[in-house]
Amino acid sequence: AFDEISETLTISGTGEISKYSNWNDIASAVTYVEIGNGITAVGEGAFNGFTALKEVYLAESVSELGADAFKECSKLAIVTALSDALSFSNAFLGNDSRLFFVAKAGSGAYTALKSAGFTVNGISTDKEKDGHKVLSFDGKTTIYKNLDYNYISNLITENSDAHYLYFDKITFDGIA
């Protein structure tokens, strides 16, 4: 489903997403892609050339990104990947140098992304304050000027039992 007002493409269902020719009509209008639980993989070149895309949210079931899945998405700045393990060889070629990831701290996906040289912001709910869970951002959380991101609100929804947010460090457009 594509919402023209929010410029959001929401994908639900099961299995792998493959390149879909009907997306060519909206490829230059989509700024946010939310891939829901049930989707297991994003196929080769599925979102190649989505030039307005700024953010991608991958639910926990998404464990594989095919080659060139998000190639030449020149404005892509943040990817939230909630899977415990993520395979992503050459999925992000030709993107903004500011691209960084949000992943579960200590997960296989977190480790793989870090090993590949990406900036990864680890999230967890292992801290407590006043007997309540804290949604913790233990890395560099970056908020870029003039870009609207959904990842914090989505993570709060995913972790609705957390009563507090905790940031070790927040960076605004590269300035701490």
Side-chain angles (χ1 to χ4, degrees):
F2 179 58
D3 181 336
E4 291 181 26
I5 295 169
S6 66
E7 300 171 335
T8 297
L9 178 61
T10 304
I11 301 169
S12 58
T14 58
E16 178 178 333
I17 299 170
S18 57
K19 189 158 181 74
Y20 181 54
S21 61
N22 288 344
W23 286 348
N24 292 338
D25 295 341
I26 61 170
S28 62
V30 175
T31 61
Y32 177 65
V33 170
E34 182 171 344
I35 300 175
N37 252 332
I39 304 297
T40 56
V42 177
E44 183 175 334
F47 297 96
N48 185 349
F50 274 55
T51 56
L53 185 60
K54 298 175 186 176
E55 180 182 4
V56 174
Y57 182 86
L58 305 170
E60 201 166 357
S61 63
V62 181
S63 60
E64 183 179 348
L65 304 177
D68 301 332
F70 296 97
K71 182 180 179 182
E72 301 299 330
C73 297
S74 57
K75 292 184 181 176
L76 184 59
I78 186 166
V79 176
T80 300
L82 297 182
S83 176
D84 289 327
L86 184 65
S87 169
F88 54 87
S89 180
N90 295 321
F92 301 98
L93 295 175
N95 291 316
D96 191 316
S97 63
R98 301 182 300 182
L99 177 64
F100 81 96
F101 291 80
V102 176
K104 291 180 183 176
S107 69
Y110 178 91
T111 303
L113 289 162
K114 282 287 237 192
S115 295
F118 289 109
T119 300
V120 185
N121 190 51
I123 58 161
S124 67
T125 55
D126 58 358
K127 295 183 181 185
E128 285 195 10
K129 179 178 176 174
D130 302 329
H132 297 290
K133 283 188 177 182
V134 174
L135 180 57
S136 175
F137 296 79
D138 64 359
K140 182 176 89 171
T141 299
T142 304
I143 301 171
Y144 294 115
K145 184 174 66 177
N146 300 327
L147 295 179
D148 298 322
Y149 289 119
N150 298 298
Y151 77 97
I152 291 179
S153 60
N154 283 343
L155 291 173
I156 290 169
T157 301
E158 294 272 335
N159 298 280
S160 58
D161 56 345
H163 290 228
Y164 299 96
L165 295 176
Y166 174 78
F167 299 92
D168 281 346
K169 178 179 177 181
I170 298 179
T171 303
F172 292 92
D173 206 15
I175 302 169

